[in-house]
Structure formats: structure tokens, C-alpha cells
Amino acid sequence: MTDFLRDIVATSDGRWRYAAALGLLSDPARHFSGLQLAQAVALDLAKPPATAEEAARQLIDKGDFAAADALISDERLGDLLDEVLRRAREAALRDVDRRHNELLERSKRCEGDPVPRSLLATLCHARRAASDLALADWEDRTENTEREYARQLEQRLSTLAETGSAVWVEAVRTCIMAREFPAACMMLVGPPDDGTPGGPVVIPHGQERWPWPNLGLAGAIAWYQDPDADPPPEFVSRWRPDPQDDPVGSQLVQALSKLHGELSLSTVQAFADTLDEMLGFASTRHTAVKTAHGIRTTLNGLQDPHFTRLGIPASWTLLVGSSGTPPENDDPSHVTVWLQLSPSEVAGSLPEGVVRLQPEVLFRLLAKGSDSGIMSTSERRINLIRALCRQLPLEMLFPDQGGARPTSAHELRDDMAWLLDLLGVRARGAVVDALCYDTAGYRPAISAALGSLLTIDGRRPQQLAMADITEWRRSHEALESFRRHVFKAMMTEPDVAAVSLAALALQDNEPDRRFGEGEVREWLGIFAGGQSEPFAAVLPDLDSPLRRAVLAGTLRHDGDQYGFCGPGLAAMLGDEVEGYVEETLKELHRRHLLVLEQVNMQMRNETLSSTLHTMKTDLHELRTALEQAVGSDCLDAMRLALTIGTERAAKIEQRCADLVHARAEMMLVSEQVDVRDLLEELRRVYESENPASLTVTVQAPAERLVIFASRYLVRLAIENLLTNAMQAQTGPGFAVASIGLTLTKQSISMAGTQVDCAVIDVEDDGPGVAEKVAKSIDAGDVLPERPNGLGRGIGFTRAHIGRFGGRLYLVGRSSAMNGAHFQVQLPLFDEPGEKQGRHPA
């Protein structure tokens, strides 16, 4: 019976009337009974389609794509239905891709067996129900694997529970319940020790709400201090500080009362003194100055050891004003706390970097808790920081660059939890641990993730749940934005980016993969094989960028073995790094060519005088030979003399080229360089060459600041800046040039972390840098060579110091000398035991 029905459907001229049977038979991988086929034919007989076109549309709507494709072709139904079929297949495949990505992520997290996308795509191309069936089977198997994986992790947790805190145990268990298994494994490496901060949960939130918002400052102060006032009983019992139990709280009320009665320098100073004391920072007396918007001083008490790795300002500007428009913030890198004493509301948003301190926030710090006890100093400090920080943008609290890197998974978790807490976002479930895993603690990755998750219709959400994390992981747009941000941050330091991208590629979905410097060099060398110079010349020293990549957080290391910072971030970034590698190597190659160009120019100039004597000797012998040949009237002798002369000229040319090449290679070799000695040497040389027209001063610390670099290239870089300063002295009034070289040791943000650097400030008393030229320098453009001005030396300098992980900045106009001010930053040599002698740069 089944074969008979198959023959009818396969050979009948009106086969399109059996749409349900056609769909059933179009899936060769599906097993069905004869009864099922008979039922499909019966359905077709009961409700047959009116036309072949209607039958094709029914098949498309049901997802029987192969049957519809065959019917459209056999019946020649035209391009319109072909287009309908194509769109339906694409929509079904997008849904398959979405479900495949979700299940693949789940499968990876529980170490399950994935289903290849190609198999699902093939099934979906023929029949959507076939791919749905395969996905459902995969999901069932994944759920079983997850249950077993969760059971194993619970067993591991039970063996460690007694040695860990209750907070830590609860966090791990939350990760297991949320199926964030990699995050749970990361935390199960070991419980936090006693010195690890406990997270925001150990600092309770203060009184969340001031119950009398319409009372006003004058009315509130009366309740606190006026004996004739009649405040509610709950105010007296919970909100008014007792001078015996809370003397500093009572002092703050008095200082605020005087401030409200008279806004003056002395009352602002007294208020700031008292507030700092209440926050645990008993400082010296504050100074205050009048401004157009009020009286300005500083707050120093808004510091807490919980925030050592976040971007909380070390000191805050406090501006007290009675009324008026909000103040502008002249320095966006600092925060201005605006205490407005009048009750008027601010229309619109505050300027960037300005936060509003309402008096009621201070009242909340004075309130007693549910146990009738006053807040501790730490609780007051952190609750005030909470109230202020949630008004700040993410980048001010957690910039991409700078800040110490957490040394453990527990410190990372603590930092992430605090960051969300200070932004006013409640993290529910395993959100914190999922973000730790997906970002691996790399600051730009954290900024990119939170920048996307915390921006919903232009407003910051009050809480994040695992559903938000899951949706973010699924979003193609969010993932692309995340990747662009992270890769852009990596590539601010091309040499660090090169080794980081190599590590990302070498990991190749193996979370525990480790490799040495040789493998990184080999991979990058193969990728850069099409360049004219070997990769070893373009980036000869891999040790320094590898170490800086570890400091930045893109690499982790164990001895001389390296790996990418984390499998979660690697999965988020994907495998398509080739374009970024090409861009990075192209920039390194461009810098290398600039280095070679100036080095060869310098070598040619320096070797010219040393070869002139040899050339004159050879030319004298050539002239003698020619004179003898002419005197003998012998054509053969003349020919021989010319041949000898040509050979000697070629030898002279080759000798010069060999000397230039040998000396150029020697100049690229790195060694330990004492920067102070180098600057003193330059001072002596320039002043001796220009005894009447140039004064060079060097200011340097007593300690030796040593870098590992080519002494010749670093010297050449500083010489370029000195030469530019001298060439700028062309107008009247600039006959005598003064150049100042200042050397300091500073902690500079490089490649996402703080690095100790030798910082060289080069200042002069010339006319400064033209605005157009300054913009080109800031943009990193290579400037065209111009006489008596800033020319290609800037590009050469940037390339020379960039070869050793350094940076060049145009600071602007010198405040001390009124001319141009450039700054060179070079990482200090911090491992003297490993590099002795000279190595290739």
C-alpha cells in the first residue's frame, strides 16, 4: 500500500494535489509508517489545494522546502515563488543559527558534544521540521549533561565549603544553578583568603529614603537643633544623632547649619573639615576660594580600600552654592561635587563630571540602622560614594586605560560587583560571575560589555539579570560592538596587539593551551611572510611586548609559557582576527621603515667623511694609471686603466654600502640605557656645537632610570626634537634658544595597565607649534618635510620610541618656557637579571 501511494505521488500528473504527502516524502531521513502516509493522502483528498501555486505555498508555509522546490521546478511556477521560497529558507536558517549558537554556548559550558552547524543547515534546507527535531534532541542531551556537570561541581563545592566564607559558597552555588559552569570552575580554584575583600554585600546600604522631602534644609536643621521645634518621634529616635554616641554626626549638623546661615570661606572650610573627619579622613584645614558659581574646596575622605582597582578619584572638588545654574567642569578627568543649599531643582542633565550632593544624602548618613546603631565610618564613606558615583558615566569610574589588574578571580569578582553597585545597578543571579568569565578581567572588555548592557533607551537599568546577559550574548549587533571596542583598545599598542592577537589565534578553542615566545614569533612570521623585511626585523624583541601584554591583562603566563587571558573572552571575540593582525603588522612595518630611513640617512652622512680619504687615494691611483696610458699612446693600456678604474669605483661604492648596512644593523641593537646619562651627553654635544646660541638644561632625579632599547635610536629620537626646537628659532626675538630636558619616573597607563616609565619632557622658548601642525601630530600623521620647521623628525621620533613600547605626545605650549612642549614615555627596564649584554632590538 505504501509503495502504491509513493508511485501515485511520484508519477501522477496532478501530484501537486497531494501536498501533505509530498511534504512527508521529501524527507528521506525521516522514518514514517504506512498509516502516516495514508493519513496524509486522506488529508489531501479531503482538502486538496486549488492550484499548483497554492500547493507550493502550503509546502513553503509548513517548511517542506525540498518538496516545494521540486514542485515549483516541475510545474514551472515562475520566479515569484522561487523568491518566496528563498526568503522562507533564509528565515528558517536564521532561526536555526540562533538556536545553534545558544545550544553551542551551553554545550561548551558543560563540556558537551556539539552538533555541527552544517548538518543542521542541510536538514533545514530540505525540511524545517528535520532541523527542529535535531535541535530538540541536542537540547535534551545538553540538559542531561548540564545536570551531571552541576552534580560534579556541587560535590567539589561541598569539599571546600568549610574553608570558604558563606558569601563565597552562595556565589558559587548561584553560578551552578544559573548554569554558569565556567565561572563556577573559576571560583572553585580556591576559596578567597582572609585578606580578600568581601564585596558590596558586607557594606549594607544606608537609610534609602529621606521621609520628609518637602521639609527643606531650614526645616530639617530646625528639627535637628531648635529646641522649640516639634519633630516626629521617629525622627528623634532614628534620624537625630546623639552628641554622646555620635559626636562627629552632631558636628556635621552644626557645620551644615552655619553653612546655611552664612555662605563664606570659613563656613565652607569648617564644613569640609567636618565631613572629611566623619568619613575617616582627619586632614589639615581646608582652603577655599570664591568662584562664579559659589565657593570651591576639596574633599579627601571619599577614598576606600575597596576601590583600589576602580577609577574612584583620589580627591573630589566640592563646590557649595546657594542657587543658580550648575557649574561647568573645566577638567573632565576630575569630579565636582555640587552641594546646592537652595531647594530648587536643576533643569536638565548636569554637565559631565558634575554630581549633585543633596543635603538629604548627608541626613541619611546620620540615620540609625534597624538595630538602632549608628553607621560605621566605612559605611558612611561607602554610602556617600554610592550616592555620588551612580551619577557618573561608566568611563569615569572604570576607564579603559589604567588601574591595577586583579591578581585573582576573587578580586576580579569583587571589583565587578563593586562597579555595578556604585553604578546603582543590582546584579541578580550569576550576572557578576558571567561578566567576569566573558571579559576575563580585561578592562576594555569590561567597559565594552557594561557599556552595552547598561544603556537601555538612553537610561541605566536598575538591575541586571541572567536573561539580560543571555540576550546580550545572542545579539549580533552587541557582539560586533563589543569586538570593535576590545580590538580597538588592544591596537593602541601595536606590538602588544600583535602578540595578543597571536595568542588568541594560537589558543584555537583550547582553553588550557600554552605556548612559548618561539610559537608566537613563528605564527606572526608566517602571517607577515609577504613583507619585504623578515618579521624578526619588524618586531625583533618579543619579550617586552609579551611582558606588557601580561600586565595589560590580554595574556597570562606561567614561567616562559603564555596563553590568552581567558576562554570566555576568546569565545566572545571569535576566530576572525586576520584583519586586525594585518592592520597591526602594517603599522609595525610602517614604523620599521621610518626607523630604517632615518638610520640609513644618518649612517650615510656619518660614513661619508670616513670614506672620502679612501676614495681620494683610489682616484689618485686611477689618474696616474690614465696619465701613463695616455703617454704611451697604447690603446690596450688605456683600456686596462679604464677597466681598473671602473672596478675600483665599484669597490668604493660597495664598501660604502657595506659599511652603512653594518653600522645600521649595529645601531638597532638594544642594551640597558641610563636615560639621565644620555640626556647629559646630548646637553654637552649641543651646547659645544652651539656655544653662543643655545642653552640646554637637564633636570633629572638622583636614581638611575634604565630602559632596554637601542641607545642610538633613543638618542636620535631626542635629537630630532632638539633639532626641531632649534630650527623654530627663526623670527626676531628668538636669537638665543633655550631648551629644557626634564626626566622623571612616572606610572603611565600603557596597553590597559599602569607601567613605570622614564618620562622625558622636552620644552623650548620658541614660537610653539602651529595649530594645524599640532592637530596632525595629535592624529599621528606623518608630516611632510619643511625647511626650518617641524618636519619628518616627528614621524621618525615616534617610530624610534614606538619600537621599544614608548609613546610621543605633543603636550602643547610649555607653561615654563612658553614654547613647544613634547613628552617621550619609555617603559623602564624592570628585569635586570634576565637581559645581560646586548640583544637585537
Side-chain angles (χ1 to χ4, degrees), residues 404-421:
R405 177 168 170 74
T407 58
S408 69
H410 307 298
E411 285 189 353
L412 171 60
R413 186 179 191 276
D414 194 66
D415 286 351
M416 186 73 75
W418 267 119
L419 182 58
L420 290 170
D421 182 278

Side-chain angles (χ1 to χ4, degrees), residues 626-643:
L626 289 174
E627 289 175 349
Q628 292 174 353
V630 172
S632 65
D633 283 335
C634 176
L635 187 60
D636 290 338
M638 294 178 65
R639 184 181 295 111
L640 178 60
L642 289 172
T643 301

Side-chain angles (χ1 to χ4, degrees), residues 50 123 532 674:
L123 294 174
S532 55
D674 186 321

Side-chain angles (χ1 to χ4, degrees), residues 152-163 173 188:
Q152 295 175 7
L153 291 178
E154 284 283 0
Q155 288 181 343
R156 289 177 58 189
L157 177 60
S158 64
T159 62
L160 297 171
E162 293 183 358
T163 60
R173 185 162 285 125
L188 282 169

Side-chain angles (χ1 to χ4, degrees), residues 643-666:
T643 301
I644 294 173
T646 303
E647 291 175 350
R648 287 182 174 173
K651 287 180 180 179
I652 293 171
E653 182 180 11
Q654 185 61 46
R655 189 182 302 128
C656 289
D658 291 344
L659 185 58
V660 167
H661 181 72
R663 292 201 61 191
E665 282 194 341
M666 182 179 66

